[in-house]
Amino acid sequence: DAQQAKVEEDSVRIEKEARETKIIAEDATRDLEKAMPALEAAMDALEKLDKKSVAEVKAYAKPPPLVMMTMCAVMTVMEKTPGWTQAKQELNDVQFLYKIKNFDKDNIKDGTLRKIEKYTKDPNFTFKAVDSVSSAAGALCQWVHAMKIYAEVYREVEPKRNALRRAQDKLEAKQKALREANDELKRVQDLVANLNKQFEDSNTEKETLQKTAEDLKVKLERAGKLVNGLAGEKVRWEASLGRLDSQQVNLFGDCIISSAFM
């Protein structure tokens, strides 16, 4: 009973921790979702880009100011030297769009984020303004803004995600311990049930043996009375046999005497 009470108490406590962990997860997810509209819009715009779009940008010998600003911002996010020479080198890489679409946005450094703000705070650095000059550059401008928004939100969310991971690890360990405790409790309960069954079977057998013993006792008592009764008959039978023996001895003489009177 004490073991079962402890398991039930642990179960209630772990259920409470599971609810608290769920709240942390929902909170972190809710914060992260703030960045998703901008990120999804940027990724949708990037999906429309192809090699032709990239070729359009790198074809500039001297790019327009907004295109130059956009490519410098992209280089800053990628932690490359912000300039047209470096930008053209990246644009010539056949993996450029893949790198942009699969960029490791979770690990943008604080220093990089501060440098990006130089561009994102510029009132001219907007998707609409850049897109009016170059649709490909407009999509990249949108991507830069999305990376900044995501990085800022991620910094708010990351402590919560770390707390969530710790809570989940702790909860998982406790749930495992609870499962083991439940298994042990079941083993003990099965053992107790088995012992109770053995006890009940023993009691049943004991009652059967007691009834058999009582029946035998009654039979023995009856047999004793019968034997005692037969012992009295033995004396009477022995006396009868004695008389018969005596009569047999006198039988011949009695017959001669009887014949003399005839």
Side-chain angles (χ1 to χ4, degrees), residues 44-51 53-54 97 101 135-137 139-140:
D44 286 342
L46 288 175
E47 286 299 326
K48 297 173 185 176
L49 298 183
D50 54 20
K51 292 181 180 178
S53 303
V54 173
L97 284 178
K101 293 175 183 179
S135 59
L140 291 172

Side-chain angles (χ1 to χ4, degrees), residues 54-245:
V54 173
E56 171 200 322
V57 177
K58 70 180 181 181
Y60 289 112
K62 185 179 179 182
L66 286 177
V67 173
M68 172 68 83
M69 181 185 294
T70 299
M71 292 311 302
C72 285
V74 171
M75 293 303 101
T76 300
V77 175
M78 298 177 70
E79 296 186 354
K80 305 287 185 179
T81 303
W84 186 240
T85 301
Q86 183 66 47
K88 287 197 72 170
Q89 184 178 332
E90 294 299 324
L91 289 168
N92 283 324
D93 185 351
V94 294
Q95 295 293 315
F96 175 71
L97 284 178
Y98 178 84
K99 289 179 180 178
I100 293 293
K101 293 175 183 179
N102 296 278
F103 188 73
D104 184 11
K105 56 188 176 295
D106 290 348
N107 291 301
I108 296 176
K109 297 176 182 177
D110 291 340
T112 301
L113 184 58
R114 286 192 294 271
K115 291 176 183 178
I116 296 172
E117 289 178 352
K118 168 188 173 183
Y119 303 97
T120 57
K121 286 183 176 180
D122 190 317
N124 297 313
F125 189 66
T126 64
F127 167 73
K128 185 176 180 180
V130 177
D131 186 64
S132 66
V133 178
S134 165
S135 59
L140 291 172
C141 169
Q142 196 171 13
W143 177 79
V144 171
H145 279 285
M147 290 301 100
K148 177 183 178 292
I149 293 170
Y150 183 89
E152 289 174 341
V153 173
Y154 187 82
R155 275 158 176 71
E156 294 178 15
V157 173
E158 186 59 10
K160 296 178 182 179
R161 291 177 68 178
N162 289 335
L164 175 62
R165 278 192 292 270
R166 289 192 297 271
Q168 286 174 331
D169 290 343
K170 186 177 178 182
L171 179 62
E172 184 178 347
K174 289 186 176 182
Q175 287 175 331
K176 180 182 177 183
L178 180 61
R179 286 193 299 270
E180 292 173 352
N182 275 319
D183 290 342
E184 177 63 16
L185 177 61
K186 185 178 183 305
R187 187 189 69 79
V188 172
Q189 287 174 332
D190 290 344
L191 178 61
V192 170
N194 186 47
L195 290 173
N196 283 334
K197 185 177 183 305
Q198 290 179 15
F199 178 72
E200 290 172 1
D201 291 344
S202 296
N203 277 340
T204 301
E205 185 178 0
K206 177 184 174 183
E207 289 172 0
T208 302
L209 290 173
Q210 284 177 337
K211 188 176 184 304
T212 302
E214 289 172 0
D215 291 343
L216 289 173
K217 182 180 178 182
V218 171
K219 290 178 180 178
L220 284 172
E221 289 174 352
R222 289 175 181 173
K225 290 178 181 178
L226 179 60
V227 169
N228 291 334
L230 291 175
E233 288 295 314
K234 178 183 177 184
V235 174
R236 189 174 62 80
W237 290 340
E238 287 176 348
S240 297
L241 285 172
R243 288 194 299 272
L244 287 173
D245 288 341

